[in-house]
Amino acid sequence: MTVNIAFVGTGGIANHHRRTLAEIDCAEMVGFFDLDIARAEATAAAFGGNAYPSLEALCDGSSPDAVYVCLPPFAHGEIETELARRKLPMFVEKPVAVDMGSGRRVLDAVQDSGVITAVGYHWRYMDNTERAQELVGNDPVGFALGGWMGGMPGVAWWRVRAQGGGQIVEQTTHIVDLARHLMGEVVQVHATARTGLMAEVENYDIHDATVTNFVFASGAIASLTSTCLLSAGGQVGLDLYQRGRVVRLRAHELIVEESTGTQTHLLGNNPTRAEDEAFVHAVATGDSSAIRSDYADALRTLEVTLAATESADEGRVIELA
């Protein structure tokens, strides 16, 4: 079965999905909608299909079997609700919203319609994440350290809290989600933040750096650091500490330290292609078992990251159900 796919949003992250979808035999890109119509037209010229001036025109004109929603955080909400109303399966890029109210409204629409959903937490699809999951097994994780420490992305909306949510919500969300995936649900969050070091950046109102402590339902604890200050020396990943073992996950490698020695496993797959294959397969067959993050699960990650940002603002511990 050929799965006809349309795109809402044709910018940066959409490029990654278009490249991998072009390699999947049963996937065919048929339509593109972007507020920048010239960009949508250029994308259609490169990948086939047509450019459309609105969501309605895209859905009616291209008759997609599924839609990729690749938008800035603040633009999520009404698009997904309309796709759910039309019973169109959707792949949504993270974060799924900048507030829980918007996310819950979409979730209600998704659950009412019963459509297949997937969300772009590609760290879950790394072969090294699978290997880490097998290594950790049922042995308790004592604590974890990690985070997202790097520079500031160049898009203007990213540094505006109301549009991007802040670094924890938009970027470190990958590591928070990875921790949830490997360690279970978070029940308590406490964050502290530093500001004032990016005063020369126009329209900047997010935290410069945060340290967030998490307590998990299992009793495990974690501390994750976020910063966009750096021009060198950054680090992104998660380290899990167990009795007798440390498991260090990075984007391109897994390092396992045990008393018998250290092993390094290089990333062996393309996680974006893996998540796209899982979604396309689900749409084609109705079997969504290979999807590792659906909309409901991604909304739980959003809740944790919003709680961390709120805790940093208010200086208090936040309990999560």
Side-chain angles (χ1 to χ4, degrees):
M1 171 185 173
T2 297
V3 177
N4 292 325
I5 294 172
F7 273 80
V8 177
T10 58
I13 191 61
N15 292 327
H16 296 282
H17 294 294
R18 289 195 295 270
R19 284 194 292 267
T20 57
L21 288 168
E23 299 172 355
I24 299 173
D25 290 339
C26 66
E28 182 173 349
M29 289 169 275
V30 295
F32 306 92
F33 162 51
D34 195 294
L35 293 179
D36 183 344
I37 188 64
R39 187 165 66 180
E41 289 171 347
T43 303
F47 291 93
N50 297 294
Y52 295 90
S54 68
L55 177 65
E56 181 180 16
L58 174 77
C59 294
D60 293 343
S62 67
S63 301
D65 299 309
V67 178
Y68 273 67
V69 182
C70 300
L71 298 171
F74 67 90
H76 288 288
E78 293 182 4
I79 296 286
E80 291 90 334
T81 301
E82 175 61 15
L83 293 175
R85 188 189 70 78
R86 290 173 176 261
K87 298 188 181 301
L88 283 170
M90 66 187 88
F91 185 108
V92 182
E93 262 305 330
K94 47 53 62 186
V96 294
V98 289
D99 65 272
M100 287 301 294
S102 174
R104 289 189 179 113
R105 287 190 291 274
V106 172
L107 180 61
D108 287 344
V110 164
Q111 291 178 334
D112 287 346
S113 68
V115 295
I116 291 169
T117 62
V119 176
Y121 282 109
H122 67 276
W123 284 66
R124 291 192 180 210
Y125 293 84
M126 297 191 309
D127 61 350
N128 276 336
T129 299
E130 294 180 30
R131 185 175 283 113
Q133 206 166 23
E134 293 169 0
L135 284 166
V136 170
N138 295 320
D139 296 337
V141 174
F143 67 99
L145 299 174
W148 197 295
M149 292 153 275
M152 186 180 68
V155 288
W157 56 259
W158 193 89
R159 57 185 182 263
V160 179
R161 174 85 67 91
Q163 296 182 8
Q167 187 175 16
I168 300 174
V169 171
E170 203 287 323
Q171 200 170 50
T172 315
T173 184
H174 279 297
I175 309 304
V176 173
D177 185 76
L178 182 64
R180 283 190 56 245
H181 184 57
L182 295 172
M183 300 170 64
E185 295 301 337
V186 175
V187 297
Q188 188 182 90
V189 179
H190 180 229
T192 54
R194 170 68 193 266
T195 59
L197 298 177
M198 305 281 279
E200 80 284 358
V201 179
E202 186 178 3
N203 296 324
Y204 177 100
D205 67 352
I206 64 173
H207 297 131
D208 301 340
T210 58
V211 177
T212 309
N213 294 321
F214 302 87
V215 178
F216 293 79
S218 66
I221 56 177
S223 184
L224 302 183
T225 302
S226 303
T227 187
C228 58
L229 290 169
L230 306 181
S231 57
Q235 181 171 295
V236 177
L238 183 70
D239 297 345
L240 306 174
Y241 292 80
Q242 299 177 285
R243 292 194 65 179
R245 181 189 297 120
V246 182
V247 178
R248 305 186 190 276
L249 259 173
R250 302 291 183 268
H252 300 293
E253 65 181 8
L254 170 69
I255 302 169
V256 183
E257 300 174 1
E258 298 178 297
S259 60
T260 55
T262 299
Q263 294 184 355
T264 299
H265 305 272
L266 299 179
L267 180 68
N269 74 329
N270 179 338
T272 301
R273 173 161 180 165
E275 66 182 353
D276 289 338
E277 287 177 332
F279 177 64
V280 171
H281 174 78
V283 174
T285 66
D287 176 10
S288 60
S289 59
I291 292 175
R292 298 179 186 176
S293 177
D294 63 9
Y295 195 93
D297 192 80
L299 193 61
R300 289 196 288 274
T301 294
L302 177 67
E303 183 178 25
V304 175
T305 59
L306 288 172
T309 304
E310 182 181 351
S311 176
D313 285 340
E314 300 181 4
R316 65 183 179 92
V317 174
I318 294 181
E319 307 284 345
L320 298 174

